[in-house]
Amino acid sequence: MKTILSAVSVAGALALAGPSFAQTRGLPDFTQIVENQGTAVVNISTTQLRQRQARSQGPQLDEDDPFYEFFRRFVPRGPQGPQGPQGPQGPQGPQGPQGPQGPQGPREFESSSLGSGFVISADGYILTNAHVVEAADEITVKFNDKREYKAKVIGVDRRTDVGLIKIEAAGLQPVRFGDASKLKVGEWVVAIGSPFGFENTVTAGIVSAKGRSLPQENFVPFIQTDVAINPGNSGGPLFNLTGEVVGINSQIYSRTGGFMGLSFAIPIDVALDISSQLRTAGRVSRGRIGVVIQEVSRELADSFGLAKPVGALVNAVEKGGPAEKAGVETGDIILKFDGRAVNGSSDLPRIVGSTKPGARVPVQVWRKGQTKEVAVTVGEIPDDRVASSRTARPGERKPAVAANRLGLVVSDLAEEKRRDLRVQGGVLVDEVREQPRADIRAGDVIVALTAKGATTELKSAKQFNDLVAGLDKGTTLTLQIRRGEANIFATIRGEITGG
């Protein structure tokens, strides 16, 4: 009660003192940004064709079983499944399959999802997130004046989550680009997108941090904001107060699947560089030097004789790689690369990645108490790990990897990854096919599963898939997830439907 009275007293004092605090500071007006730039923001809906093995409601019997004919004739066919819910990252859940026509046989169904994007050229090029469009068989782009176009994928880059698509149109109004490097922490920014499918939704906030590193996202210095970003905002633009795009809204940090005050955008200069390569070459060329690095702590800096904890400590050098050929050694601390300061270990992958393969660049290292300079000829990250520049041809099927009953494709966790995360076990989420009502993302590491009061620590993908396959219909389970340094518990309520 004291807190409430104090707040009222303060509000009254401000009212008596004259103009309100908000009026004195002059809160920003976003209407001109929306009116002038909103027409360049689009809603993107995608459809993917999937195959699912039909399941009979009766027991699975061989045709020579004496009860086979009985169940075939008298057990009713399953009804059409319900349309799935909105997943926490934006995609709409898949439509339930048709009831089985027999004891087995694949059934095709459509899975749809929603996202956002924005026009970058008058002739129909549109920027969005890679995860919005990369798996799509059909893409529909809708403008705020209800015009609709079919789009094709020019290319995607998973490492930066940048996607470039194209519609057949002319005379479009593109956005204006700003300089993300000039953004200041505390500056107002505005997002326009389609959260949960609500088109042309405007949200605003401030820049919370710059150059933010996220787990498994080594090539993007993210802009962190407190702008309300929700499923469906992915791929939409982030504007500064002059109406210039400074970023692409890409990720949120959430324990619930919804907005919790932390949103992350890809700086527009990074996105434009990637889109330019996708447009001209259909792929992204990214440098590498072949080292394994770690952060330099205060204790490590003291032990190496560095005045402050900066640089990237080399704890392994690839045999025969560019760094080894240049004379880089285990225990070196890389301080500069091609004249650019490496303030932390997360800076090095970005700097190297943006360096043209084949370039010979100077690298300054700290070795045995003094600086030393070597020249490295930068290599290239293999193409199949960087970008995809075409969509499937009509009738062509993408390689099928079985998903479990949660719609997750998982694999065993590499020993190196276990060491990096400091975990004893776990499985890696490679793909989220059918997003459950929980915050689960590709790249997550699931370390434990709890169901019916029992917790099982996970050691292999087979173990996890077998556990999920053995759960009863409607079971509520909780997954313990490791995402970078964060531990997250994702509860999936009653979504186990298949047998």
Side-chain angles (χ1 to χ4, degrees), residues 469-491:
L471 294 173
D472 296 333
K473 296 180 181 180
T475 298
T476 294
L477 64 144
T478 296
L479 302 178
Q480 182 181 346
I481 295 172
R482 186 67 181 270
R483 184 175 297 154
E485 295 298 322
N487 283 301
I488 300 169
F489 291 89
T491 298

Side-chain angles (χ1 to χ4, degrees), residues 332-353:
D332 285 350
I333 296 177
I334 299 177
L335 300 177
K336 290 184 179 181
F337 189 92
D338 197 17
R340 300 166 65 182
V342 179
N343 295 313
S345 62
S346 61
D347 292 338
L348 187 63
R350 299 173 192 162
I351 299 172
V352 175

Side-chain angles (χ1 to χ4, degrees), residues 373-407:
E373 191 168 286
V374 298
V376 177
T377 300
V378 178
E380 183 175 8
I381 293 178
D383 180 54
D384 61 353
R385 297 176 57 188
V386 178
S388 170
S389 60
R390 71 172 185 89
T391 54
R393 293 185 295 270
E396 180 183 47
R397 292 293 175 198
K398 302 176 179 70
V401 178
N404 60 30
R405 291 168 65 196
L406 297 177

Side-chain angles (χ1 to χ4, degrees), residues 300-339:
L300 284 171
D302 290 342
S303 66
F304 281 97
L306 272 175
K308 57 182 180 179
V310 295
L313 174 61
V314 177
N315 55 32
V317 181
E318 176 187 318
K319 186 173 180 60
E324 185 191 56
K325 291 178 180 178
V328 176
E329 301 176 1
T330 300
D332 285 350
I333 296 177
I334 299 177
L335 300 177
K336 290 184 179 181
F337 189 92
D338 197 17

Side-chain angles (χ1 to χ4, degrees), residues 56 78 110-111 133 158 193 244 269 284 291 333 368 394 407 442 493:
S56 171
E110 290 185 353
S111 175
V133 297
R158 293 180 181 179
E244 298 169 327
D269 57 312
V284 176
V291 293
I333 296 177
K368 297 179 181 178
R493 304 182 183 279

